[in-house]
């Protein structure tokens, strides 16, 4: 076994991802009944990423075949925006927690509820779809097929890549962290009113709210260093070219590059850097289940399902 390429991932990594995918979908039914659209989105983004990662590392273990190019397009598009799906949906969850603390009420008018759903869907799914389009602007060619990993996204490193793509994931995390601080300050300032609000509620409790706030904050705190690391590595380790034109970036766009184990080994630090990214995908399901699948309401529904 060597860590100079990605051959070590099989079979442990796909098993790890399959378990992660299962953990991602377990909490979804309870949150569906509660109408937590953004929390469901986090679980679905984690589930999809782990299914694709597990599939690719099984199918492409030890080979560079490309039997279904459309699957390669799906894989690269999904992985190019998965982080945005996680961070933007988490941002909306944290904003919602702050809004509840600021307004000190849990009920909403029908109009407010409609807008709440609209923004939840927008941040959970609309923002990532927007970044599929933005990534295409700086996508140098169709995708790469990496031995042991399968199809992977490709981004032509220019100044434009940072302005419209790389920088936004950490920005979402920073905004979410600001809302977390505001939520904490607001809850401290209006502690009595917030406690009374939950005491009058039959569906929600103060303990559940605090738990959701703390775990969502931890999720942001963990996600931010990774996204910031991606930006720094791409800015410092690799050459960043100036943006010239659309035609320059998309020259010979339809080509697919094939990277064997020997090519991976020849690129200093590639195996280590990409390994961090891929194991981070696998960890998302475990963190998601810990944050959103172990609350008292979720545990109660698990017991009902088993019985």
């Amino acid at each position: 076994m060597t860590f100079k390429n990605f051959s070590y991932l099989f079979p442990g990594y796909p098993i790890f991802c399959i378990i992660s995918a299962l953990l991602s979908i377990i909490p979804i039914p309870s949150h569906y009944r509660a109408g937590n659209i953004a929390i469901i989105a986090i679980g679905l983004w984690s589930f999809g990423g782990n299914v694709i990662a597990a599939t690719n590392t099984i199918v492409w273990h030890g080979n560079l075949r490309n039997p279904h190019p459309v699957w390669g397009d799906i894989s690269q598009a999904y992985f190019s925006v998965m982080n945005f799906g996680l961070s933007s949906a988490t941002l909306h969850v944290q904003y919602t927690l702050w809004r509840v603390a600021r307004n000190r009420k849990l009920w909403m008018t029908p109009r407010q509820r409609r807008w709440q759903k609209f923004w939840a869907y927008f941040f959970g799914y609309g923002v990532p779809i927007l970044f599929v389009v933005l990534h295409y602007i700086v996508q140098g060619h169709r995708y790469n097929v990496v031995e042991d990993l399968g199809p992977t996204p490709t981004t032509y490193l220019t100044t434009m890549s940072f302005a419209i793509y790389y920088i936004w994931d950490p920005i979402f995390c920073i905004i979410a962290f600001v809302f977390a601080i505001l939520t904490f300050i607001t809850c401290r300032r209006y502690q009595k009113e917030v406690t009374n609000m939950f005491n009058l509620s039959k569906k929600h409790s103060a303990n559940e709210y605090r738990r959701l706030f703390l775990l969502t904050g931890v999720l942001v705190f963990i996600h931010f260093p990774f996204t910031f690391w991606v930006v720094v590595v791409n800015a410092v380790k690799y050459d960043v070219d100036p943006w010239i034109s659309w035609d320059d970036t998309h020259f010979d766009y339809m080509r697919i590059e094939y990277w064997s184990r020997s090519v991976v080994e020849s690129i200093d630090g590639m195996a280590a850097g990409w390994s961090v990214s891929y194991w981070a995908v696998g960890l998302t399901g475990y963190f998601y289940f810990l944050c959103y699948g172990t609350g008292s309401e979720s545990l109660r529904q698990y017991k009902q399902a088993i019985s």
Side-chain angles (χ1 to χ4, degrees):
M1 182 176 66
T2 176
F3 292 94
K4 293 182 179 180
N5 54 53
F6 303 109
S7 60
Y8 78 93
L9 292 174
F10 186 86
Y13 179 76
I15 295 173
F16 185 78
C17 287
I18 290 170
I19 296 172
S20 183
L22 294 174
L23 290 174
S24 298
I25 61 174
I26 289 175
I28 287 179
S30 62
H31 288 289
Y32 176 79
R33 285 187 284 269
N36 297 327
I37 297 169
I39 293 178
I40 294 172
I42 297 172
L44 292 177
W45 282 109
S46 174
F47 173 76
N50 278 285
V51 168
I52 292 174
T55 302
N56 288 359
T57 50
I58 292 172
V59 173
W60 274 273
H61 175 64
N63 71 83
L64 286 168
R65 296 192 304 268
N66 190 26
H68 303 291
V70 173
W71 175 257
D73 293 324
I74 295 171
S75 296
Q76 75 82 21
Y78 197 96
F79 280 134
S80 68
V81 299
M82 178 183 173
N83 278 345
F84 295 103
L86 295 172
S87 58
S88 60
T90 303
L91 167 59
H92 186 269
V93 173
Q94 197 64 65
Y95 166 78
T96 302
L97 295 173
W98 172 74
R99 180 187 57 77
V100 169
R102 180 195 62 181
N103 295 336
R104 294 181 292 288
K105 62 181 182 180
L106 294 169
W107 63 271
M108 290 184 289
T109 65
R111 183 174 182 273
Q112 289 173 328
R113 195 172 297 279
R114 285 194 299 270
W115 275 108
Q116 171 76 4
K117 289 183 177 181
F118 169 79
W119 288 115
Y121 280 116
F122 176 74
F123 279 95
Y125 306 102
V127 169
I129 292 173
L130 173 62
F131 275 98
V132 171
V133 178
L134 292 176
H135 180 254
Y136 178 69
I137 296 174
V138 293
Q139 185 178 346
H141 56 275
R142 194 169 174 183
Y143 57 84
N144 299 324
V145 175
V146 181
E147 189 171 359
D148 301 308
L149 292 184
T152 62
T154 174
T155 305
Y156 183 35
L157 277 182
T158 65
T159 50
M160 181 71 76
S161 305
F162 291 90
I164 68 172
Y165 181 68
Y166 283 117
I167 196 65
W168 288 100
D169 199 6
I171 286 178
F172 288 156
C173 290
I174 292 172
I175 296 173
F177 192 69
V178 170
F179 277 121
I181 295 174
L182 291 175
T183 303
F184 177 78
I185 294 173
T186 304
C187 287
R188 292 281 293 183
R189 181 177 298 173
Y190 302 103
Q191 184 174 2
K192 184 177 180 180
E193 292 91 334
V194 172
T195 302
N196 289 337
M197 172 184 68
F198 284 107
N199 288 338
L200 295 173
S201 174
K202 297 181 179 179
K203 294 183 178 180
H204 307 279
S205 68
N207 287 335
E208 286 289 318
Y209 178 85
R210 295 190 193 99
R211 183 178 177 280
L212 188 60
F213 163 69
L214 289 172
L215 291 175
T216 303
V218 169
L219 199 62
V220 173
F221 188 74
I222 292 173
H223 188 65
F224 173 74
F226 171 72
T227 59
F228 185 73
W229 171 78
V230 171
V231 174
V232 172
V233 167
N234 281 290
V236 175
K237 188 175 179 61
Y238 304 107
D239 294 331
V240 179
D241 298 317
W243 168 266
I244 298 175
S245 67
W246 175 276
D247 292 335
D248 175 72
T249 299
H250 293 86
F251 176 76
D252 195 18
Y253 172 81
M254 292 304 294
R255 77 184 187 277
I256 299 172
E257 295 187 358
Y258 297 86
W259 295 13
S260 65
R261 290 175 181 174
S262 59
V263 172
V264 172
E265 292 173 2
S266 68
I267 302 175
D268 183 44
M270 178 180 175
W274 283 29
S275 290
V276 172
S277 299
Y278 270 76
W279 283 105
V281 171
L283 286 171
T284 56
Y286 297 88
F287 280 119
Y288 178 76
F289 182 78
L290 175 65
C291 290
Y292 304 116
T294 56
S296 59
E297 179 63 21
S298 297
L299 294 176
R300 184 182 65 81
Q301 294 186 18
Y302 300 156
K303 293 179 181 177
Q304 289 180 349
I306 293 173
S307 61

